[in-house]
Amino acid sequence: MSVTSRAVVATAFGGPEVLRTVETAPTDPGPGNVLLEVRAAAVNPIDWKMYAAGPGNDPARLPIRLGLEVAGVVTAVGPSVRWLAPGDEVIAWRVTGGYASHLEVSEQVTCRRPRTLDWPAASGLLLAGTTAVHTLSATGTHDGDVVLVHGGSGGVGRMAVQLAGLRGAQVVATGSPATHDDLRALGAIPVAHGPGLLDRVREAERTTGPVTVAIDTVGSDEALDVSVAVVADRHRVATIAGFGRAAELGITALGGGPGADPGTAVREAARAQLAELAADGSLDVRVARTFPLDDAAEAHRESRDGHARGKLVLIP
């Protein structure tokens, strides 16, 4: 195959300064796989955590290709591909090396791009969305619940707010005052995080009734302590970030952290559901900023700062 691809790799362990753009030469896609021309690749915190300096880093892993979710156009298909053809527009998660101009992926990790989402937004739907579905499934969120979402303006939090509402739950969501209009537009009651959070949640309960579920996407002591203070059943408190205290508090840890439930089957099953909800306009993906592929280091610096109000996306 004559296509030359560009890809971002981490050449060492450390900060964003170790990222480099390199040329690669994609081969013809193998059985069950397709080749994508990547139109957008979402940035997620797990991307920069993969090469962060720390004990036990194995130099044999270097260079590390980055990026777990993309949106793109199928340009070639391998043997045994059943559903896709060249020209199809898809989103894909979980992939390896999504920060690239071209990428070979399994047909099994793709679904059709919802036409309601442009390329950058489409690339940011699945990782946050499947994680949010997992939190709601693990806590048994249903019609009539009152759900407290910590970090409601972040990628996973914003999805959890929307999906909880679609399940018939009322939502109280924490965030900075600058995010409150957006949270209200999504149907949540916004409360500011920071000192006095428990009192503000109690005030919101005067409108919603008692909080029955808490979803922590932040991992702070504040979020965890408030969650167990307001939710009577600790099995209905889930965190995707506070792994260090989850066992101590008797709450549910989800994702890739120590002792956490990865929820692989739940998350994979949610892929098509999320695409359908986005396609009919029920889910919104907010993109905060896009960057050229060569500016992946800048995107990671902004992601690490934690102040982006929406997805950060690379455009090859």
Side-chain angles (χ1 to χ4, degrees):
M1 178 169 290
S2 60
V3 173
T4 298
S5 176
R6 298 165 61 250
V8 173
V9 301
T11 59
F13 295 104
E17 70 278 357
V18 306
L19 300 185
R20 299 288 184 273
T21 304
V22 299
E23 289 193 352
T24 63
T27 59
D28 291 323
N33 292 352
V34 301
L35 183 66
L36 298 184
E37 178 184 291
V38 178
R39 298 293 179 84
V43 172
N44 294 285
I46 185 61
D47 299 338
W48 46 264
K49 291 177 182 178
M50 289 179 66
Y51 63 86
N57 285 336
D58 182 1
R61 293 174 51 216
L62 300 170
I64 302 171
R65 289 193 60 171
L66 304 171
L68 298 177
E69 58 178 342
V70 300
V73 179
V74 176
T75 60
V77 300
S80 305
V81 168
R82 298 176 58 189
W83 304 295
L84 296 178
D88 286 343
E89 298 180 356
V90 299
I91 51 179
W93 168 85
R94 174 174 183 154
V95 305
T96 300
Y99 292 7
S101 59
H102 297 81
L103 184 68
E104 183 178 353
V105 305
S106 168
E107 181 184 41
Q108 299 296 326
V109 304
T110 69
C111 52
R112 305 284 177 172
R113 175 174 76 91
R115 294 305 179 97
T116 52
L117 300 181
D118 62 14
W119 290 109
S123 75
L125 171 66
L126 291 180
L127 190 151
T130 57
T131 303
V133 168
H134 189 197
T135 65
L136 297 172
S137 297
T139 54
T141 299
H142 54 71
D143 185 16
D145 273 324
V146 178
V147 181
L148 172 62
V149 178
H150 294 281
S153 62
V156 176
R158 202 167 181 274
M159 281 289 169
V161 167
Q162 295 177 79
L163 291 165
L166 289 172
R167 291 187 179 209
Q170 296 184 79
V171 181
V172 178
T174 74
S176 67
T179 68
H180 286 188
D181 284 346
D182 180 53
L183 292 172
R184 287 190 192 93
L186 297 177
I189 296 175
V191 295
H193 53 65
L197 175 60
L198 179 57
D199 291 337
R200 290 188 290 278
V201 172
R202 293 295 193 198
E203 181 63 27
E205 287 182 313
R206 295 165 69 99
T207 299
T208 64
V211 171
T212 55
V213 173
I215 294 170
D216 166 44
T217 72
V218 178
S220 66
D221 286 338
E222 172 190 75
L224 296 171
D225 291 340
V226 170
S227 294
V228 298
V230 297
V231 178
D233 182 354
R234 294 198 178 185
H235 292 99
R236 305 196 78 195
V237 178
T239 182
I240 63 168
F243 304 116
R245 295 187 62 201
E248 165 204 337
L249 296 173
I251 65 176
T252 303
L254 305 174
D261 170 18
T264 303
V266 172
R267 296 185 187 213
E268 291 185 354
R271 189 185 286 114
Q273 172 200 5
L274 290 163
E276 291 174 4
L277 289 171
D280 70 15
S282 297
L283 284 181
D284 173 68
V285 179
R286 168 170 284 193
V287 175
R289 187 178 174 191
T290 62
F291 302 79
L293 188 66
D294 289 339
D295 289 346
E298 182 183 354
H300 279 202
R301 290 186 187 99
E302 186 162 330
S303 177
R304 295 202 310 176
D305 287 343
H307 299 308
R309 298 176 194 162
K311 298 294 294 188
L312 305 176
V313 178
L314 301 176
I315 306 298

